[in-house]
């Protein structure tokens, strides 16, 4: 299996505070990679570096290389192009409230200058179907998303991210605001999407990581402690810190 | 609760008192007061139409001039300006919003009007004279001067409030758009402005309120002639200006009542304009219900 993304010596700062202290990990195409670790360990910052969202916050800095299909996204590629190829789903469903369901899905296409009504409609239907939302919203595409449940909203966010046809999907704790049933629904969706996309999932939920991911990375205090296939990490963790964390015996973190 | 009711009662009491004081005029002219163009204290004939026209048109002109500029300034300060410039500009805009109207009036009278008469109005007539709006003697005192002064006065207010509104748009909204591959300008246009539009309409409503109520600055530049002219160069008169100009010399009871009648109309117009603005906000929100993001 080929590597879709290779992260090399990635470092990131918020002001003077170094959040990532040199992370290197290759990520295979069409897999789900879970990134786990205690709060404040840099999980979110890590995936935000993979589509250059980290630098959006003033006072931040990134060093290192991230190779996307052999091209360093921090050198010679426009950040806007990177974000079109690496989609992102956030912790809370951040739907655009001034837009209809349909407009939300095609918002990214609209940015790309695609305006043809039929084309937009086809893509919207296709993406909503991929996100498993089509049957639920097909009759109210042009209503606002206000009536949807938070699980549905999060799937709408996934559909919106898929619409620009990214190659990689970053998911930053996509289920943390959802109830267990809606979470399971999203997990099923991730497994389906794996066939066409490479997914990197940040999660606090160890069961979720164990259920859906192929590979698991354990981050602690800005360092990559362990990165192996998921069964390996959960059954035979090599590092005692990983073992302590996944068994709930407390993480070895210095105070923040 | 009691305070709120008390406040409402106070406003009601005010309306009732104004109504009573305007009694003779209401009795004499009734509804025709709204549609009569004549204002003749000597013969005791009074109509409010030129004043209503003056207030509405000068306000509209001010909004047209100030709206785009203010919104542009607010977007720049809130979204694009580096932090240092942002602080300085923000402070200056807030300061400008607090300058008393009379100072703008003086400036308008001694700086703006001569410039309009000598420079802008002849040019406007030269290039756009085919429109009735830009025809007539360039005196520098009139509707155009009033609109510009009002625009200058309300734009700091609109800018300051719009900026606050833009700044409370949640980061998650911006990030959602950025993550789809939006450029900074697209983030503003497609995520920030649509999210903030209710608040921006609110900011414009505040500006509108100040424009309608503004008195001194206008009185000094509008020319104070009760007429309805298609030309923006022509002098006009507003409701507030006529009240302040004639109040001290209104010796005839009917004259005084007519002035108070105008105050009542001003009250109604303000109420109406604010209601329309509220309605707009309501209609916008009904289409898009809010939820936490």
């Amino acid at each position: 299996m080929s590597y879709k993304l290779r992260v090399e010596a990635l470092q990131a700062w918020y002001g003077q505070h170094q959040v990532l202290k040199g992370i290197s990990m290759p990520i295979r195409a069409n897999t789900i990679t879970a990134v786990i670790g205690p709060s404040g360990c840099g999980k979110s910052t890590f995936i935000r570096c993979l589509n250059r969202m980290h630098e959006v916050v003033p006072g931040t800095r990134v060093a290192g290389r991230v190779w996307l299909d052999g091209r360093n996204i921090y050198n010679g590629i426009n950040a806007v192009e990177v974000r079109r190829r690496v989609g992102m789903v956030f912790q809370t469903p951040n739907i655009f409230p001034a837009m209809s369901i349909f407009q939300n899905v095609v918002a990214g296409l609209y940015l790309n200058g695609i305006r043809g009504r039929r084309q937009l409609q086809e893509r919207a239907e296709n993406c909503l179907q991929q996100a498993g939302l089509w049957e639920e919203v097909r009759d109210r595409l042009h209503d606002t998303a206000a009536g949807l449940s938070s699980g549905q909203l999060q799937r709408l966010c996934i559909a919106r991210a898929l619409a620009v046809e990214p190659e990689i999907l970053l998911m930053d704790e996509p289920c943390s605001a959802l109830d267990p049933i809606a979470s399971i629904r999203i997990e099923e969706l991730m497994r389906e999407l794996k066939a066409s996309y490479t997914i990197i999932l940040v999660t606090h939920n160890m069961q979720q990581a164990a259920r859906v991911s192929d590979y698991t990375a354990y981050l602690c205090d800005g360092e990559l402690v362990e990165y192996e296939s998921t069964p390996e990490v959960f059954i035979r963790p090599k590092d005692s810190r990983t073992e302590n964390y996944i068994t709930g015996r407390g993480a070895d973190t210095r105070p923040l | 609760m009691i305070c709120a009711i008390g406040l409402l009662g106070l406003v009601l009491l005010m309306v009732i008192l104004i109504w009573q004081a305007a009694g003779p005029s209401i009795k004499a002219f009734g509804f025709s007061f709204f549609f009569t163009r004549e204002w003749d204290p000597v013969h005791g004939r009074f109509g409010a139409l030129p004043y209503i026209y003056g207030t509405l048109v000068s306000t509209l002109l001010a909004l047209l001039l100030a709206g785009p500029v203010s919104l542009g300034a607010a977007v720049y300060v809130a979204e694009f300006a580096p932090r240092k410039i942002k602080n300085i500009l923000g402070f200056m805009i807030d300061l400008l919003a607090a300058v008393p109207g009379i100072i703008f009036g003086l400036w308008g009278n001694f700086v703006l009007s001569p410039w309009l008469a000598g420079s802008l109005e002849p040019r406007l007539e030269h290039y756009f004279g085919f429109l009735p709006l830009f025809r007539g003697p360039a005196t520098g005192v009139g509707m155009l001067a009033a609109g510009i002064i009002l625009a200058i006065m309300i734009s700091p207010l609109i800018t300051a409030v719009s900026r606050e509104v833009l700044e409370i748009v949640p980061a998650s909204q911006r990030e959602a758009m950025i993550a789809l591959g939006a450029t900074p300008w697209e983030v503003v246009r497609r995520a920030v402005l649509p999210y903030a539009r209710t608040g921006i309409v609110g900011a414009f409503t505040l500006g509108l309120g100040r424009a309608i109520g503004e008195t001194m600055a206008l009185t000094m530049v509008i020319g104070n002639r009760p007429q309805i002219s298609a030309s923006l160069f022509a002098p006009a008169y507003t409701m507030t200006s006529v009240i302040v100009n004639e109040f001290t010399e209104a010796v005839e009871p009917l004259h005084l009542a007519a002035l108070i009648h105008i105050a009542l109309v001003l009250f109604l117009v303000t109420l109406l304009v604010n209601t329309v603005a509220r309605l707009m906000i309501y209609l916008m929100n009904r289409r898009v219900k809010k939820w936490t993001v």
Side-chain angles (χ1 to χ4, degrees):
Chain A
M1 225 186 284
S2 64
Y3 290 120
K4 183 72 191 169
L5 201 64
R6 282 192 301 117
V7 181
E8 264 179 32
L10 186 68
Q11 293 173 282
W13 290 263
Y14 276 102
Q16 294 299 309
H17 176 62
Q18 186 169 11
V19 186
L20 299 180
K21 297 169 182 168
I23 291 184
S24 298
M25 61 187 276
I27 290 160
R28 288 186 172 82
N30 300 105
T31 59
I32 300 178
T33 304
V35 181
I36 60 171
S39 296
C41 71
K43 309 184 292 290
S44 290
T45 307
F46 173 67
I47 69 163
R48 286 170 66 92
C49 286
L50 303 184
N51 67 341
R52 298 189 58 175
M53 284 293 287
H54 179 63
E55 67 198 49
V56 168
V57 181
T60 54
R61 200 153 62 82
V62 181
R65 292 162 298 279
V66 177
W67 304 94
L68 171 61
D69 286 336
R71 276 178 82 192
N72 184 358
I73 65 168
Y74 281 100
N75 190 3
I77 309 188
N78 189 324
V80 167
E81 191 199 325
V82 172
R83 294 181 197 128
R84 286 182 191 187
R85 292 175 62 187
V86 184
M88 190 166 204
V89 175
F90 296 82
Q91 202 168 342
T92 43
N94 50 2
I95 284 302
F96 303 123
M99 299 183 189
S100 69
I101 293 174
F102 173 76
Q103 286 169 328
N104 262 288
V105 179
V106 300
L109 296 175
Y110 220 78
L111 290 175
N112 282 328
I114 298 169
R115 298 287 149 90
R117 185 110 197 121
R118 176 170 293 174
Q119 201 183 353
L120 289 177
Q121 246 152 7
E122 266 170 30
R123 196 79 76 80
E125 177 175 347
N126 180 275
C127 293
L128 285 167
Q129 251 157 4
Q130 285 189 68
L133 196 59
W134 175 249
E135 293 304 325
E136 292 155 58
V137 300
R138 59 184 305 171
D139 299 324
R140 44 172 165 159
L141 278 183
H142 299 286
D143 293 352
T144 68
L148 301 183
S149 70
S150 50
Q152 288 173 317
L153 287 176
Q154 194 60 298
R155 276 181 281 147
L156 182 53
C157 286
I158 293 173
R160 183 177 69 186
L162 297 180
V164 284
E165 300 188 312
E167 296 151 43
I168 297 174
L169 200 57
L170 307 173
M171 304 180 95
D172 189 358
E173 299 182 38
C175 301
S176 63
L178 306 183
D179 67 68
I181 294 164
S183 302
I184 296 288
R185 186 79 192 76
I186 303 268
E187 287 174 23
E188 284 167 3
L189 184 57
M190 283 190 251
R191 276 192 221 99
E192 288 163 24
L193 293 175
K194 189 166 90 167
S196 336
Y197 307 90
T198 303
I199 297 175
I200 301 168
L201 165 75
V202 165
T203 180
H204 269 302
N205 183 333
M206 239 83 64
Q207 284 80 20
Q208 183 174 62
R211 275 194 302 262
V212 295
S213 69
D214 303 298
Y215 295 88
T216 297
Y218 175 63
L219 245 62
C220 185
D221 205 17
E223 282 169 51
L224 182 63
V225 174
E226 192 149 352
Y227 176 44
E228 277 299 333
S229 77
T230 299
E232 199 73 19
V233 170
F234 279 90
I235 297 166
R236 282 182 297 276
K238 289 195 185 68
D239 197 293
S240 61
R241 287 175 289 175
T242 317
E243 190 177 352
N244 286 340
Y245 182 71
I246 58 178
T247 53
R249 258 176 270 157
D252 175 30
T253 48
R254 274 152 272 172
L256 288 171
Chain B
M1 176 73 180
I2 292 167
C3 294
I5 292 174
L7 211 61
L8 202 71
L10 211 62
V11 173
L12 265 178
L13 198 69
M14 217 162 70
V15 174
I16 292 168
L17 286 178
I18 294 176
W19 192 288
Q20 275 177 349
S25 171
I26 295 175
K27 210 173 280 168
F29 307 112
F31 263 111
S32 70
F33 191 69
F34 291 92
F35 311 109
T36 309
R37 298 172 74 144
E38 211 176 358
W39 184 267
D40 186 351
V42 179
H43 297 100
R45 281 194 291 268
F46 299 101
L49 191 61
Y51 307 105
I52 298 174
Y53 174 84
T55 293
L56 288 182
V57 172
S58 62
T59 302
L60 191 72
L61 197 61
L63 266 189
L64 283 179
L65 292 174
V69 176
S70 309
L71 198 56
V75 166
Y76 174 72
V77 174
E79 301 289 324
F80 296 109
R83 188 169 297 177
K84 247 187 196 151
I85 296 181
K86 184 183 184 134
N87 288 342
I88 295 170
L89 273 181
F91 175 72
M92 280 180 9
I93 290 165
D94 289 347
L95 205 69
L96 266 182
V99 173
I102 187 83
I103 293 173
F104 285 99
L106 276 176
W107 178 81
N109 204 353
F110 290 114
V111 182
L112 180 68
S113 283
W115 178 71
L116 284 179
S119 174
L120 185 67
E121 288 184 354
R123 266 176 217 160
L124 278 176
E125 187 167 19
H126 184 255
Y127 292 111
F128 302 103
F130 55 89
L131 293 169
L133 283 178
F134 302 112
R135 238 178 268 161
T139 57
V141 182
M143 197 63 103
L144 186 63
I148 292 175
I149 276 286
L150 273 185
I152 294 172
M153 290 181 67
I154 64 174
S155 56
L157 182 69
I158 299 181
T159 307
V161 178
S162 300
R163 179 194 147 209
E164 304 259 326
V165 169
L166 292 179
E167 276 174 353
I168 57 166
V169 172
S172 64
Q173 285 287 312
R174 294 163 214 269
E175 292 195 336
M177 212 32 118
I178 294 171
L180 289 174
T183 60
W185 171 239
E186 287 170 329
V187 172
V188 170
R189 208 169 100 75
R190 306 220 172 273
V192 177
L193 286 180
Y195 190 91
R197 59 185 185 181
T198 313
I200 289 169
V201 173
F204 276 67
T205 312
L206 278 177
L208 195 70
R210 178 156 189 202
I212 290 182
E214 178 48 40
T215 311
M216 282 326 296
L218 273 184
T219 309
M220 295 175 78
V221 296
I222 201 166
N224 299 332
R225 196 184 300 159
Q227 61 179 18
I228 296 176
S229 166
S231 170
L232 292 180
F233 301 164
Y237 221 155
T238 67
M239 292 190 262
T240 50
S241 301
V242 73
I243 294 172
V244 78
N245 275 339
E246 297 189 4
F247 201 72
T248 47
E249 54 201 53
V251 282
E252 290 293 317
L254 189 61
H255 190 185
L256 194 64
L259 285 175
I260 296 169
H261 199 169
I262 285 198
L264 188 66
V265 174
L266 180 61
F267 192 86
L268 289 179
V269 168
T270 314
L271 213 65
L272 193 76
V273 167
N274 273 296
T275 311
V276 169
R278 285 286 159 118
L279 200 69
M280 265 175 70
I281 295 176
Y282 169 75
L283 287 176
M284 270 158 57
N285 281 347
R286 205 182 51 163
R287 225 159 58 76
V288 179
K289 280 197 196 110
K290 279 210 178 117
W291 62 88
T292 49
V293 179

